[in-house]
Amino acid sequence: EPEVTQTPSHQVTQMGQEVILRCVPISNHLYFYWYRQILGQKVEFLVSFYNNEISEKSEIFDDQFSVERPDGSNFTLKIRSTKLEDSAMYFCASSGERTNSPLHFGNGTRLTVT
Amino acid sequence: QQQVKQSPQSLIVQKGGISIINCAYENTAFDYFPWYQQFPGKGPALLIAIRPDVSEKKEGRFTISFNKSAKQFSLHIMDSQPGDSATYFCAARRANTGGFKTIFGAGTRLFVKA
């Protein structure tokens, strides 16, 4: 069964540094998402992306964050000038075009900001 | 309006018992209600989902009951097994101009005692 893959599985960075989290969504999916989960708590919506542009973003997704689909397969989340409170699990997800198409999640990148 | 409220926060059930998790929502624009199961170190995975024009959906030991007028829905796990021990998230999705936005409940940690 096709799956969403995320790299790296764990990223440690110093406060103020930039990080790029990478995702390869399921190949025939058209909608892409980033979610965040802090310490096993609630899964929080960050951004949705369709047709090479952001379709919706949450209040968490401020100017510090950006997303990009640089080629036909990768989907990236960039966090500029990381803060301690950015430490979390970041999940990439994708979904197909059908109305009932569910989110398919990757296994996440654990970001630790020190 | 965007929230999905989930209870209980944690649940301990004897093997063979019934696990019940409840959720409530406010936004009538939600059109799809999935449940996700998450094991430690993994991303959430779709367990079962329902649309609001259906009052109940059953898949194996898992049943969603949906009350549209009360804006409530619940997950029942029959004959609960130790392997069901995980965190369960209810969710609600609405369409936007560029796809779909899924909002998650706070999660329920289920522990099934052998």
Side-chain angles (χ1 to χ4, degrees), chain A residues 3-8 20-34 49-53 66-78 92-94 109:
Chain A
E3 57 182 29
V4 175
T5 57
Q6 289 186 244
T7 55
I20 298 176
L21 310 183
R22 292 183 166 79
C23 169
V24 178
I26 293 174
S27 61
N28 62 348
H29 282 182
L30 300 177
Y31 302 97
F32 312 112
Y33 310 83
W34 284 100
F49 190 87
Y50 170 73
N51 199 27
N52 281 321
E53 61 183 26
S66 62
V67 290
E68 192 178 33
R69 189 158 163 80
D71 53 42
S73 59
N74 290 284
F75 180 50
T76 62
L77 174 69
K78 182 189 290 186
C92 172
S94 66
T109 292

Side-chain angles (χ1 to χ4, degrees), chain A residues 31 33 35 37 41-43 45 48 50 55-56 91 99-103 105-107, chain B residues 32 36 38 41-44 46 51 89 93-94 96 98-102 104-106:
Chain A
Y31 302 97
Y33 310 83
Y35 282 80
Q37 186 178 36
Q41 295 177 22
K42 190 172 186 174
V43 179
F45 171 81
S48 59
Y50 170 73
S55 49
E56 190 164 353
F91 290 104
T99 304
N100 290 344
S101 180
L103 293 175
F105 284 88
N107 283 329
Chain B
Y32 179 69
Y36 286 85
Q38 185 180 31
K42 300 290 187 182
L46 180 70
R51 293 186 64 83
F89 294 94
R93 190 198 71 181
R94 61 163 176 80
N96 59 25
F100 310 96
K101 180 178 180 180
T102 301
F104 285 75

Side-chain angles (χ1 to χ4, degrees), chain B residues 9-70:
Chain B
Q9 194 172 16
S10 62
L11 183 60
I12 300 175
V13 174
Q14 287 289 137
K15 179 182 175 182
I18 302 174
S19 304
I20 302 174
I21 304 170
N22 300 299
C23 286
Y25 65 98
E26 289 292 328
N27 191 343
T28 55
F30 292 135
D31 63 356
Y32 179 69
F33 298 86
W35 285 86
Y36 286 85
Q37 180 187 54
Q38 185 180 31
F39 292 105
K42 300 290 187 182
L46 180 70
L47 186 64
I48 186 172
I50 198 168
R51 293 186 64 83
D53 52 351
V54 176
S55 61
E56 185 175 283
K57 183 173 181 181
K58 184 175 181 180
E59 289 183 0
R61 296 184 293 110
F62 302 93
T63 300
I64 301 177
S65 297
F66 192 89
N67 186 329
K68 187 174 180 178
S69 60

Side-chain angles (χ1 to χ4, degrees), chain A residues 11-19 21 36 38 46 59-65 78-90 110-114:
Chain A
Q11 174 87 49
V12 181
T13 189
Q14 286 190 327
M15 194 167 51
Q17 296 297 304
E18 174 183 286
V19 294
L21 310 183
R36 181 178 82 174
I38 296 175
L46 291 179
E59 60 277 6
I60 302 170
F61 194 91
D62 59 21
D63 292 343
Q64 181 194 7
F65 295 88
K78 182 189 290 186
I79 309 174
R80 286 181 285 274
S81 189
T82 50
K83 298 177 278 196
L84 294 175
E85 54 265 38
D86 294 329
S87 295
M89 283 291 288
Y90 288 82
R110 179 179 299 280
L111 176 65
T112 302
V113 182
T114 61

Side-chain angles (χ1 to χ4, degrees), chain B residues 67-99:
Chain B
N67 186 329
K68 187 174 180 178
S69 60
K71 296 180 191 172
Q72 294 175 347
F73 57 112
S74 59
L75 176 69
H76 290 62
I77 305 175
M78 311 300 288
D79 187 27
S80 299
Q81 299 297 311
D84 296 331
S85 298
T87 300
Y88 292 81
F89 294 94
C90 63
R93 190 198 71 181
R94 61 163 176 80
N96 59 25
T97 53

